[in-house]
Amino acid sequence: LAKTTQPISMDSYEGQEVNITCSHNNIATNDYITWYQQFPSQGPRFIIQGYKTKVTNEVASLFIPADRKSSTLSLPRVSLSDTAVYYCLVGDIVNYGQNFVFGPGTRLSVLP
Amino acid sequence: NAGVTQTPKFRVLKTGQSMTLLCAQDMNHEYMYWYRQDPGMGLRLIHYSVGEGTTAKGEVPDGYNVSRLKKQNFLLGLESAAPSQTSLYFCASSYSLRDPTNEKLFFGSGTQLSVL
């Protein structure tokens, strides 16, 4: 089970791009990288998932270097509504039931 | 399509009482999970199930029991509630298919449990 390390908190201003980096030095060959977003008193929701290089969707981009020992979630032009906790998960798709373990996440505060 | 539904949304128990939290999903997911979340902490996995009739322990299983008698339902039981079980509980479900694009968790809206 690959352990992940993220910054505990980050501050940003509206309209800025925010990059949150997650370290996962012992990531295994079959592991995928997944990011979730959680608003207060709500369950987390899926943002983006990737295996290598770059993945982009309507919400965010995920950058994964060749060695896959880290990944960066990029949120373009954040707004106040992006204030939330962001979790990075790394796990094996086949054995995912055992690997959906959340760390403390990164608390992002977007300021006006 | 309601997704993942948790009942009740709030509950107050006295120490030693028992109760059951119900999670229901209508997405035909194979995997289901129960998490707890305490202030300032991430989610901790209590128990999970990889299919009807199966259950397994997560990180913090002590004091909880679960059952998955039907594919769409996953029950979390507290036989003798303790103040340490005061927490926000989340249920989640996911596909089991070996398709990475589908291997994501869908969460319910949570159950706030207070044990006095």
Side-chain angles (χ1 to χ4, degrees):
Chain A
L1 176 61
K3 181 180 178 180
T4 61
T5 302
Q6 308 172 230
I8 294 299
S9 64
M10 295 181 67
D11 291 335
S12 181
Y13 291 96
E14 280 190 293
Q16 290 187 330
E17 178 184 75
V18 171
N19 296 311
I20 305 174
T21 297
C22 179
S23 298
H24 27 81
N25 291 320
N26 59 341
I27 188 170
T29 302
N30 293 331
D31 286 347
Y32 278 72
I33 301 156
T34 312
W35 286 80
Y36 288 83
Q37 174 192 56
Q38 184 181 25
F39 298 113
S41 299
Q42 294 185 27
R45 68 168 187 165
F46 172 90
I47 299 177
I48 198 166
Q49 184 182 75
Y51 183 80
K52 61 180 179 180
T53 63
K54 177 183 176 182
V55 179
T56 297
N57 61 23
E58 65 279 4
V59 176
S61 294
L62 179 59
F63 298 92
I64 306 169
D67 65 7
R68 305 201 323 125
K69 293 184 181 299
S70 66
S71 59
T72 299
L73 174 72
S74 181
L75 305 172
R77 298 179 298 281
V78 294
S79 64
L80 296 177
S81 62
D82 292 316
T83 293
V85 178
Y86 293 82
Y87 299 96
C88 166
L89 276 72
V90 174
D92 177 357
I93 291 296
V94 173
N95 297 303
Y96 234 125
Q98 304 173 43
N99 289 304
F100 275 133
V101 177
F102 289 74
T106 297
R107 185 173 300 276
L108 173 65
S109 299
V110 179
L111 308 173
Chain B
N1 188 335
V4 179
T5 303
Q6 292 182 231
T7 53
K9 295 189 182 301
F10 303 95
R11 185 71 185 268
V12 178
L13 291 177
K14 293 182 179 179
T15 297
Q17 286 185 317
S18 64
M19 78 159 296
T20 300
L21 305 183
L22 171 63
C23 177
Q25 52 94 5
D26 61 2
M27 296 172 283
N28 200 34
H29 285 171
E30 293 291 332
Y31 285 13
M32 296 187 74
Y33 315 80
W34 275 107
Y35 289 89
R36 62 176 287 173
Q37 185 171 38
D38 301 300
M41 299 180 67
L43 287 83
R44 292 185 290 172
L45 182 64
I46 305 172
H47 286 279
Y48 65 97
S49 167
V50 299
E52 182 179 319
T54 72
T55 63
K57 295 180 179 180
E59 293 178 90
V60 288
D62 295 341
Y64 305 94
N65 56 76
V66 289
S67 63
R68 184 96 181 270
L69 299 180
K70 294 183 179 180
K71 185 178 182 179
Q72 64 268 34
N73 296 335
F74 195 30
L75 306 179
L76 177 70
L78 287 73
E79 292 185 348
S80 180
S84 61
Q85 294 178 304
T86 293
S87 188
L88 180 58
Y89 291 85
F90 288 105
C91 175
S93 68
S94 71
Y95 291 113
S96 68
L97 301 176
R98 287 167 175 75
D99 177 359
T101 63
N102 282 329
E103 202 56 63
K104 63 183 79 167
L105 287 167
F106 294 81
F107 282 84
S109 57
T111 296
Q112 179 63 57
L113 175 66
S114 296
V115 183
L116 306 178

